[in-house]
Amino acid sequence: MSGKETEVSKARTLKIGKPKGRSVDPVALAEVRELLGNESRARDMLIEHLHKIQDKFGYISSKHIAALASEMKLSQVEVYEVATFYHHFDVIKEGQIPPPPLTVRVCESISCAMAGAHDLINALKKGLGDGVRIQPVPCVGRCQHAPVAVVGQNPIDHASLQSVSAAVESKQTDAPVADYLSYEAYQAGGGYQLYQACIAGKRTPEELITIMENSGLRGLGGAGFPVGRKWRIVSQQPAPRLMAVNIDEGEPGTFKDRHYLELDPHRFLEGMLIAAWAVGASEIYIYLRDEYAGCRKILQRELDNLRQAPPAPLPPIHLRRGAGAYICGEESAMIESIEGKRGMPRLRPPFVAQVGLFGRPTLEHNMESVYWVRDIVEKGPEWFTSFGRNGRKGLRSFSVSGRVKKPGVHLAPAGITVRELIDEYCGGMQDGHEFYGYFPGGASGGILPASMGDIPLDFDTLNPYGCFIGSAAIIVFSQHDKARDLALNAMQFFEDESCGQCTPCRVGTAKAVQLMKKPQWDQPLLEELSGTMMDASICGLGQAAPNPLRSVMKYFPDELK
């Protein structure tokens, strides 16, 4: 070997031996190690650890990304692509200016927009100092209190410049905790006796699965898959099996899960434990949206109480924190997020019940779906099916917002009409407002005019009209609103929340927004675009995104003249 070849060989050896990417800053590494403490460095903890950095410093620097990657034995690009995927992580590159120490997030989705969110945003930008960042954000799950601003993690209901300024000046940035039913009070009312009976062998999994099948309860996260059938399918899969609970309700207009968590968290936890026992799930993962900081405090506290004084042996229960991504409400995207990845939906088959979390068969449920388990088993399936109107059976938790006098979560018979719901549960329309139209299933469920306000609200009843009930989020609007403007708001939401994985959704939502902003809609082009999105998108976001705009063209033609 010649001398020149020897030098080249040495250079190559040195280059190969040098770590690629940004070198690890020792100060940043020490800070990361202190934040992580003795917690696991496994890949599925990546998002949890990113939250620790964001919470501590108010942003995530390039140095901290390099340090975290080193500590978790991941490539820097793996950490970076996850951190930049989620809205609630502020990733700051070297040389960039970090955000102000305090962020005020103002919801600009449908209900808040109708309540004056955009005027509030402008007022806050003018009225608050330079040390505060005003950030318009999608739905924060408090639609009945519109407009809503969140100061740090403190939600301000019916927000105004005065109320937000007061919270900023007094540094009220922590999330409050609701006055909920405690562990002791829940047990005093018979709580966990059913779970104890299950663990003691006094009830059998087959017995409970049959009860749930006979109840007719369907998944209350939006898809409506029969709960009992899902239990049976998962129970027949090979062990080990897992359970994942989805509390990432980000659909504009939806807030029922938060309502029940702030009311009676142990009814949910017991139902979850019973469901896991029935299908033989060895571990449970709870995925909670990051906007629900108050609920996170409740669940952390009550899970600790459960572990300290368990009513019966408990499986390992992991509480995982979302990071601001509506797409993670889709079951497979949620599972990707729990695994510490970007929340991108998986192609199916295989289905989550077969190959889910960490490649294992997984029972995935919305929080409210298991909230009713104790009542249905203790009172019998006939109790649940005894409710209903217009030929439908069961109960529905309607999240009602918009132009009604009493917005909120209203538990009503399945099959009730929106007119009956407004009159009997919501105190009628607000003064000066006449019923003009409604979203029967949140932003993605389509829009119907008041003339179609007598359709029973339940699974399948709205399908013939190009709409669906989803998670039963009812947004009521009046003659002072325009359906086309509300449809545009919904499409802008879908554009922002598209994960970008598939072209029909990523490009289709952006193109639709531009077309819908024009004074005259190109209806043939919008219809063609809608068809492509519905037929070719990977998941429900892109498939359902065209529903509001198609509803406007079909049911509100006068607004397009």
Side-chain angles (χ1 to χ4, degrees):
M1 182 181 291
S2 67
K4 184 176 181 180
E5 290 174 334
T6 301
E7 292 300 321
V8 171
S9 178
K10 287 181 178 178
R12 284 175 177 167
T13 301
L14 289 171
K15 187 174 181 181
I16 292 171
K18 184 178 179 181
K20 293 183 179 181
R22 181 182 299 275
S23 59
V24 178
D25 180 80
V27 174
L29 183 59
E31 291 171 339
V32 166
R33 285 175 173 170
E34 183 179 359
L35 285 173
L36 270 56
N38 295 324
E39 291 195 40
S40 168
R41 269 62 167 172
R43 169 61 192 259
D44 62 282
M45 292 296 290
L46 176 55
I47 294 173
E48 292 295 306
H49 295 336
L50 285 168
H51 273 302
K52 293 181 178 67
I53 298 172
Q54 176 76 37
D55 291 346
K56 174 69 174 179
F57 299 102
Y59 60 94
I60 301 172
S61 69
S62 298
K63 291 180 179 180
H64 286 125
I65 284 181
L68 183 60
S70 173
E71 188 67 9
M72 297 187 71
K73 295 181 171 54
L74 298 171
S75 69
Q76 292 181 30
V77 70
E78 286 179 286
V79 178
Y80 180 81
E81 71 176 7
V82 171
T84 54
F85 179 85
Y86 295 93
H87 299 317
H88 290 184
F89 294 139
D90 291 308
V91 179
I92 304 300
K93 297 179 181 178
E94 191 169 329
Q96 287 185 327
I97 300 174
L102 179 61
T103 295
V104 175
R105 296 181 171 91
V106 183
C107 174
E108 61 175 353
S109 289
I110 300 168
S111 299
C112 284
M114 287 195 295
H118 293 109
D119 289 339
L120 176 62
I121 291 169
N122 293 332
L124 292 174
K125 287 180 177 179
K126 294 177 182 177
L128 296 182
D130 295 335
V132 180
R133 175 176 57 168
I134 309 302
Q135 191 175 61
V137 296
C139 186
V140 296
R142 305 184 71 85
C143 316
Q144 79 272 45
H145 304 303
V148 177
V150 184
V151 179
Q153 293 186 338
N154 178 24
I156 308 297
D157 297 337
H158 306 295
S160 64
L161 174 59
Q162 293 73 26
S163 61
V164 174
S165 298
V168 170
E169 291 172 6
S170 60
K171 298 182 180 180
Q172 296 176 354
T173 59
D174 289 336
V177 176
D179 183 17
Y180 61 89
L181 194 69
S182 69
Y183 184 29
E184 294 76 13
Y186 181 74
Q187 286 183 305
Y192 289 107
Q193 290 181 9
L194 176 58
Y195 179 60
Q196 290 171 334
C198 292
I199 296 299
K202 297 178 181 178
R203 311 296 289 258
T204 66
E206 176 60 30
E207 177 188 2
L208 263 65
I209 291 173
T210 301
I211 288 173
M212 297 309 295
E213 287 176 332
N214 292 339
S215 75
L217 179 68
R218 295 173 64 169
L220 298 171
F225 192 85
V227 169
R229 190 190 307 173
K230 182 180 286 190
W231 287 19
R232 188 170 297 282
I233 291 170
V234 175
S235 69
Q236 294 170 346
Q237 303 303 311
R241 295 175 286 274
L242 302 174
M243 182 176 183
V245 183
N246 194 332
I247 321 179
D248 194 58
E249 57 174 2
E251 179 83 10
T254 308
F255 46 90
K256 61 180 179 63
D257 292 352
R258 176 184 60 78
H259 169 83
Y260 286 122
L261 279 175
E262 293 177 342
L263 183 72
D264 194 356
H266 283 280
R267 192 168 298 270
F268 150 63
L269 291 172
E270 183 175 13
M272 174 190 77
L273 289 166
I274 292 168
W277 169 83
V279 304
S282 57
E283 292 189 53
I284 301 172
Y285 288 78
I286 303 172
Y287 189 85
L288 178 69
R289 71 178 306 201
D290 195 31
E291 289 85 350
Y292 289 174
C295 292
R296 187 166 64 252
K297 289 181 179 180
I298 292 172
L299 285 176
Q300 288 171 335
R301 179 187 300 171
E302 296 312 308
L303 285 171
D304 286 344
N305 288 337
L306 267 182
R307 295 180 183 115
Q308 290 169 10
L314 303 172
I317 303 171
H318 311 274
L319 178 59
R320 293 296 173 83
R321 181 177 171 185
Y326 165 74
I327 191 63
C328 290
E330 196 275 340
E331 60 178 7
S332 64
M334 176 196 67
I335 284 172
E336 289 285 298
S337 189
I338 292 175
E339 292 179 355
K341 305 171 187 174
R342 293 176 294 169
M344 289 189 169
R346 298 175 179 177
L347 292 171
R348 286 170 283 192
F351 296 96
V352 165
Q354 302 164 310
V355 181
L357 190 56
F358 307 119
R360 301 309 311 165
T362 302
L363 176 66
E364 188 275 342
H365 265 317
N366 167 256
M367 173 264 171
E368 197 203 348
S369 301
V370 295
Y371 183 86
W372 293 111
V373 167
R374 177 189 163 192
D375 283 315
I376 289 173
V377 175
E378 289 183 346
K379 299 175 182 178
E382 300 81 9
W383 166 80
F384 190 73
T385 59
S386 68
F387 298 96
R389 293 187 188 179
N390 299 308
R392 312 301 296 182
K393 293 182 179 180
L395 290 166
R396 295 289 174 269
S397 300
F398 293 97
S399 303
V400 186
S401 62
R403 307 295 192 182
V404 295
K405 288 182 178 178
K406 295 180 181 178
V409 174
H410 297 290
L411 185 63
I416 193 173
T417 70
V418 72
R419 287 189 188 278
E420 293 169 335
L421 192 63
I422 292 170
D423 293 340
E424 297 177 29
Y425 290 83
C426 301
M429 297 291 292
Q430 293 176 356
D431 294 340
H433 291 268
E434 298 175 5
F435 181 35
Y436 177 52
Y438 65 110
F439 288 76
S444 59
I447 311 176
L448 292 172
S451 60
M452 300 175 69
D454 295 317
I455 300 169
L457 296 172
D458 198 13
F459 297 110
D460 310 321
T461 59
L462 296 155
N463 295 9
Y465 310 100
C467 299
F468 58 79
I469 192 172
S471 57
I474 312 295
I475 307 173
V476 180
F477 57 96
S478 75
Q479 81 278 17
H480 298 300
D481 308 299
K482 287 188 176 181
R484 62 174 291 164
D485 293 340
L486 302 179
L488 173 59
N489 184 296
M491 188 59 73
Q492 288 171 323
F493 170 83
F494 294 127
E495 179 190 13
D496 291 340
E497 295 297 331
S498 173
C499 75
Q501 181 177 191
C502 66
T503 303
C505 176
R506 182 184 68 251
V507 177
T509 52
K511 180 67 174 176
V513 165
Q514 295 306 313
L515 290 171
M516 294 168 73
K517 284 182 177 179
K518 295 181 179 180
Q520 291 292 120
W521 285 13
D522 186 338
Q523 296 190 51
L525 181 57
L526 280 168
E527 185 60 43
E528 181 182 354
L529 181 64
S530 297
T532 301
M533 292 170 65
M534 296 173 76
D535 292 341
S537 294
I538 290 175
C539 81
L541 191 154
Q543 294 165 8
N547 286 341
L549 80 86
R550 296 184 82 202
S551 295
V552 172
M553 292 191 292
K554 186 174 182 179
Y555 300 120
F556 300 87
D558 291 344
E559 292 193 13
L560 302 178
K561 292 180 180 178

